Amino acid sequence: MTIPHLPWFLLVVVCLAWYGVLTGYVTWHGGRDIVRMLESLSRRR
Amino acid sequence: MTTSHFSPLIDGSIIGVYLVVTMAAGLAVRRYVNRVEDFLVAGREMNLHLGIASLATTEFGVITCMYTAQAAHNHGFGGVLPGIVHCLALLFVGLTGFCVTPLREAGVMTLPELFERRFGPFVRWLAGVVIVLGGLLNMGMFLKIGGDFLCLTTGYDVANLVLMMAGLLLLVVVYTVFGGMLSVLVTDFLQFVVMSLGLLVVTGLVLWRVGWDRLVATVQRHHGDAGFTLVGGPGQGWDFLVCQLLTMVAVTITWQATLARVLSAKDAATGRKIYSRTSFFMVCRWMLPGVWGIAALATLGWQPTAHLPAADVAALTPEIRAKIDASPVGRPLEQLTAEERAALPPGAAAALGDVSLHAMPRFLGAFLPVGMLGLLVAAMLAAEMSTDSGYMLAWGSVIYNDVLAPLRRRRPWSERTGLLWNRAIVALIGVYLFVYGLWYRPAGDVWSYIVLSATIYASSMATMVIACCYWPRANRRGAIGAILLGSVVPVVFLVMEKLPATADLAARIGPNLAGIASFAASAFGMVAGSLLGPRDPWSANAESSTSREPIA
């Protein structure tokens, strides 16, 4: 089975994959960042 | 005409839960906001991951989805070119630290603050005015287009647009006014999660149910080979590429909403990483909604008159109607003569111009099943609220920090007064968005309007930032020349587009050449002004030898 305009198809797939990985990574670490940021601001008050 | 699957009970509940959670989170961090620095730059406590999430969500709003989908609808896969250019610009700046390293190390909150150190308080004020002018014009369409999207996907009458806009605005203003940048960062994080899920799931569904073969066949049928090339298609020639390159690099080093993430970062290295690691996101930002735009063309086809009210269609002659429906995708009036355009019913030209913009939300409303539609609308609401709040804060900070600076110099304001002013400014920007969005209609596609309004500020500010960082000879006269020439050119062009006497000339010149001319004029103003005048006898630190040195 050939995929028409394969480079564009690959770009779409890479975008989906990259974005999926970014989402997971940022969700995991970003949550911890928020807690640290609020703790730091609390100490300053 | 398509009908939406939106279910007030199921989809409405999903949206309701999301809004309650977001508002609660945004308001809960109010108690951490005690100083202007906390309000505007979250106390400079933003870490890398939050910075990436925040930058990604602010730079991805409903309007992004709409204009990127419109670009792919009208140009095929080649419509993704601006995203690729933006990616390259972010990568270049992130890897090299071009301008952003000296900016972060200077410890300023806005660009005009930096300009004062080098060129004096008048340049700071003038730069602030131009930044606010360009920034507010640029964001003027956000709320209206967000409202359009919500009406079209949920199937509610576009006559309810005003209510939709007002409701959106109220939500955004409440948590931005009370929490400032801190609320924006926390809610950005939540919105990033929701928005990302929505984007991924919907794109997957589109690829699965519409299918890649059908998307490719649609682009081939409506755009030919030009639909698969980045440069060379209609409206995407070399002038378009050059304008995009200049604009994206300029925006990357000057756009307050983006730069705020660097200025809020712990240090310059973190700021650069935020840029370089977010860069590929810009390709995704254009590519994924672009797939939706092409799918909209595949399922709805191109028949612009089908979206006019029945009375307007009846008023068209069969010849005019045939010309409109046979027009190239995205250019419904192209084959009409000037007399035929003048004979169109009132409002019909604007409605026809909106057909390509509205195709994607119409498609999604009919394509997505119940439940999924609720998730998507929640995701897009997330994106819209995040973008609106980020931008309101960005321009609000420039108004407070720079345009109002002369007032504060006479008698410094307390932190409490400063916070009050910042909150009032944000609320007033909200009112402006509401009024302007309902009144103004762009002459061409939304992306062209976005780029041109951005060049009002980006051309002169980029010239000045580069000069500040790397050219010791730049002086106050050059800065004023750069600001005036860089902003006059795009403003004149926007006015020319609207005046009947000059509209044709403006159409022949085109927004790309106008944008390039803006950069050229600004650079000329800086160089000529600086070289023709003496070195500044005055500087922010008159006795210091660094007054004429670049800040890098």
Side-chain angles (χ1 to χ4, degrees), chain B residues 82-101:
Chain B
I84 293 175
V85 173
H86 200 171
C87 169
L88 293 173
L90 271 173
L91 207 53
F92 165 69
V93 174
L95 292 175
T96 62
F98 178 65
C99 293
V100 295
T101 296

Side-chain angles (χ1 to χ4, degrees), chain B residues 235-395:
Chain B
Q236 298 210 165
W238 290 103
D239 57 337
F240 179 77
L241 177 63
V242 171
C243 183
Q244 296 299 308
L245 276 168
L246 289 170
T247 307
M248 293 308 180
V249 172
V251 157
T252 300
I253 60 175
T254 63
W255 198 243
Q256 183 65 27
T258 313
L259 207 56
R261 276 35 183 204
V262 170
L263 300 177
S264 306
K266 281 185 148 324
D267 49 42
T270 303
R272 284 172 55 186
K273 277 187 206 166
I274 290 172
Y275 266 26
S276 53
R277 292 188 194 184
T278 317
S279 60
F280 192 71
F281 173 79
M282 297 307 163
V283 179
C284 304
R285 182 173 170 256
W286 280 81
M287 192 73 256
L288 299 181
V291 168
W292 304 0
I294 296 171
L297 185 60
T299 50
L300 300 177
W302 176 247
Q303 198 186 356
T305 58
H307 303 287
L308 287 177
D312 284 356
V313 175
L316 299 175
T317 65
E319 294 77 23
I320 290 179
R321 192 174 170 186
K323 277 190 185 181
I324 292 172
D325 285 339
S327 61
V329 175
R331 307 196 295 276
L333 305 183
E334 189 167 275
Q335 295 177 349
L336 299 185
T337 63
E339 293 77 23
E340 286 170 335
R341 287 185 206 202
L344 290 173
L352 288 168
D354 277 345
V355 169
S356 61
L357 184 67
H358 291 173
M360 180 270 289
R362 277 203 176 97
F363 158 71
L364 290 179
F367 172 75
L368 293 175
V370 169
M372 185 58 60
L373 193 51
L375 178 66
L376 172 77
V377 173
M380 287 301 117
L381 260 182
E384 176 66 14
M385 288 162 67
S386 158
T387 300
D388 287 349
S389 62
Y391 276 76
M392 284 161 91
L393 215 51
W395 309 133

